[in-house]
Amino acid sequence: TLLEWNMQDPPDEFEMNRNNVIYSYQRNRNPFVDDPNFANLIWGGAAASTVMIGNISQDPVFPVAGDPVNIQTTITSTMGSITEAILFYGLSWNNLDQQVIMDNNGDIFSAEIPGYGEDQTVHFLVQASDGSGAASSPQYNYYVPKVFNGTLTSIYDIQGQSISSPLAGQTVSTSGVVTRNFGGGYFIQDGYGDWNGLYIYDPGRNPNTGDSLVLTGLIEEYYGLTEMKNISDFYFISADHDLPDPKHIATGEAGEALEGVLINVSNATCTDANYQANYFMWTVNDGSGNLLIHNTPLLEYEPEEGQSYDITGPLNYDFDEWKIEIRFVDDVKDGSDLIPPEVD
């Protein structure tokens, strides 16, 4: 019954997109979404195809409007040689209405998808045969970003060097580098230090840490947190940017100027490790005042009361509390990880 259901209900666009989004986080795919025939091959006694398609890549990885995209893959056959390889592509996951015969150099096959206009998602897959059997690759896609032609407002001006943004209630465009995506939203920063961080409430979007973005949205004061929401335009500029250096502060210095900014505290002693009873937050103090550390869905750290820590992350404000949102394993270093000061 499960095998029948597997063939009658193949993966739809939502499931394929979810698989691609998960891959962007984990670099790990669900093979049964990529190829539901695997179920029959493993449990249904189906014969394996004589054709194998793998190592699919695209160049450029982040195309701009008008850029042709070269698709390359390795195709082999247990029967000896591939008789035909075709690249199918189009603007809908269920209507790949264009195709091109792939050229090859040995087992390496390639073909070019012509350039598309901005704000288009291009879907593609590869099919190949050897005269005896045939195979199809998973379906992939890439996005051709829009080009921004408007006026940018800096994060510094959005923050306005005041408790409330002077632009609250207005729709503006700004730019920055993603310092971390937490699922329902993400932080961006433009430069080092005070007044240069901003929280973006944008559930469903999936930018990566280090992505450079231009965003258009509504500025709002959400219970004291300056944020951008109702994102009407999202422009991906480029990937893998270095993050701004975190600003080192004392635990008692967290405040409005550092809202959304990458910060660092050091030699801060854990005074309350019971995060299970405090909405996943624990407390540190370096002698200047308490500061909350938030165990996020990305990292749950087990602190030890009385232990000193060096902690890095974006500073957030909600429920009238300042807190560091931890992102990576390296964001928290305990006393055993810290380099002792030099002795004169």
Side-chain angles (χ1 to χ4, degrees), residues 115-191:
Y116 277 87
E118 62 183 59
D119 197 25
Q120 302 275 13
T121 298
V122 181
H123 302 257
F124 67 91
L125 60 78
V126 174
Q127 289 184 357
S129 61
D130 59 6
S132 176
S136 179
S137 76
Q139 184 177 139
Y140 299 91
N141 65 68
Y142 60 85
Y143 176 69
V144 182
K146 294 181 287 186
V147 177
F148 179 74
N149 294 308
T151 301
L152 289 176
T153 301
S154 69
I155 295 175
Y156 187 86
D157 288 339
I158 290 172
Q159 290 289 0
Q161 300 80 66
S162 61
I163 293 177
S164 297
S165 169
L167 301 178
Q170 298 183 37
T171 297
V172 301
S173 299
T174 194
S175 64
V177 173
V178 177
T179 56
R180 195 51 168 156
N181 180 1
F182 289 95
Y186 44 93
F187 293 90
I188 64 171
Q189 192 167 330
D190 179 23

Side-chain angles (χ1 to χ4, degrees), residues 199-227:
Y199 179 70
I200 311 298
Y201 178 68
D202 191 18
R205 198 98 57 178
N206 186 39
N208 291 314
T209 301
D211 283 355
S212 174
L213 308 176
V214 171
L215 304 166
T216 302
L218 176 69
I219 301 302
E220 180 182 77
E221 288 295 325
Y222 185 75
Y223 295 99
L225 173 70
T226 303
E227 69 176 23

Side-chain angles (χ1 to χ4, degrees), residues 13-307:
E13 182 177 18
F14 176 83
E15 291 168 309
M16 292 178 182
N17 181 66
R18 179 174 60 188
N19 197 26
N20 287 330
V21 169
I22 291 171
Y23 174 76
S24 73
Y25 278 110
Q26 299 181 175
R27 295 296 182 258
N28 186 24
R29 305 184 65 84
N30 181 340
F32 298 101
V33 172
D34 283 337
D35 190 345
N37 292 316
F38 283 147
N40 276 331
L41 180 64
I42 297 170
W43 294 288
S49 172
T50 57
V51 176
M52 290 158 286
I53 303 172
N55 301 321
I56 290 183
S57 63
Q58 70 177 65
D59 183 37
V61 175
F62 301 107
V64 298
D67 269 358
V69 174
N70 184 267
I71 305 299
Q72 182 172 288
T73 182
T74 301
I75 308 176
T76 58
S77 168
T78 58
M79 300 299 292
S81 62
I82 299 298
T83 57
E84 183 179 61
I86 303 175
L87 173 66
F88 291 88
Y89 61 94
L91 295 178
S92 172
W93 73 277
N94 61 353
N95 186 22
L96 305 183
D97 56 355
Q98 304 294 316
Q99 65 183 67
V100 59
I101 302 296
M102 304 187 78
D103 297 323
N104 73 296
N105 180 8
D107 294 338
I108 306 300
F109 287 73
S110 63
E112 191 172 86
I113 298 176
Y116 277 87
E118 62 183 59
D119 197 25
Q120 302 275 13
T121 298
V122 181
H123 302 257
F124 67 91
L125 60 78
V126 174
Q127 289 184 357
S129 61
D130 59 6
S132 176
S136 179
S137 76
Q139 184 177 139
Y140 299 91
N141 65 68
Y142 60 85
Y143 176 69
V144 182
K146 294 181 287 186
V147 177
F148 179 74
N149 294 308
T151 301
L152 289 176
T153 301
S154 69
I155 295 175
Y156 187 86
D157 288 339
I158 290 172
Q159 290 289 0
Q161 300 80 66
S162 61
I163 293 177
S164 297
S165 169
L167 301 178
Q170 298 183 37
T171 297
V172 301
S173 299
T174 194
S175 64
V177 173
V178 177
T179 56
R180 195 51 168 156
N181 180 1
F182 289 95
Y186 44 93
F187 293 90
I188 64 171
Q189 192 167 330
D190 179 23
Y192 166 83
D194 296 4
W195 308 109
N196 284 314
L198 183 65
Y199 179 70
I200 311 298
Y201 178 68
D202 191 18
R205 198 98 57 178
N206 186 39
N208 291 314
T209 301
D211 283 355
S212 174
L213 308 176
V214 171
L215 304 166
T216 302
L218 176 69
I219 301 302
E220 180 182 77
E221 288 295 325
Y222 185 75
Y223 295 99
L225 173 70
T226 303
E227 69 176 23
M228 177 181 278
K229 60 182 290 189
N230 298 345
I231 306 303
S232 55
D233 278 310
F234 178 97
Y235 303 86
F236 171 82
I237 308 304
S238 52
D240 299 324
H241 287 257
D242 291 335
L243 302 188
D245 290 333
K247 180 173 181 177
H248 180 74
I249 68 165
T251 55
E253 293 178 335
E256 189 71 26
L258 298 169
E259 179 184 78
V261 171
L262 278 179
I263 65 167
N264 165 264
V265 296
S266 61
N267 294 318
T269 302
C270 178
T271 58
D272 184 357
N274 189 15
Y275 65 88
Q276 294 94 340
N278 192 31
Y279 302 99
F280 300 99
M281 291 180 288
W282 43 289
T283 307
V284 297
N285 192 323
D286 63 5
S288 64
N290 287 335
L291 180 61
L292 293 171
I293 310 301
H294 186 204
N295 279 357
T296 66
L298 303 178
L299 180 65
E300 183 173 325
Y301 190 86
E302 296 274 355
E304 180 182 341
E305 209 157 297
Q307 176 68 59

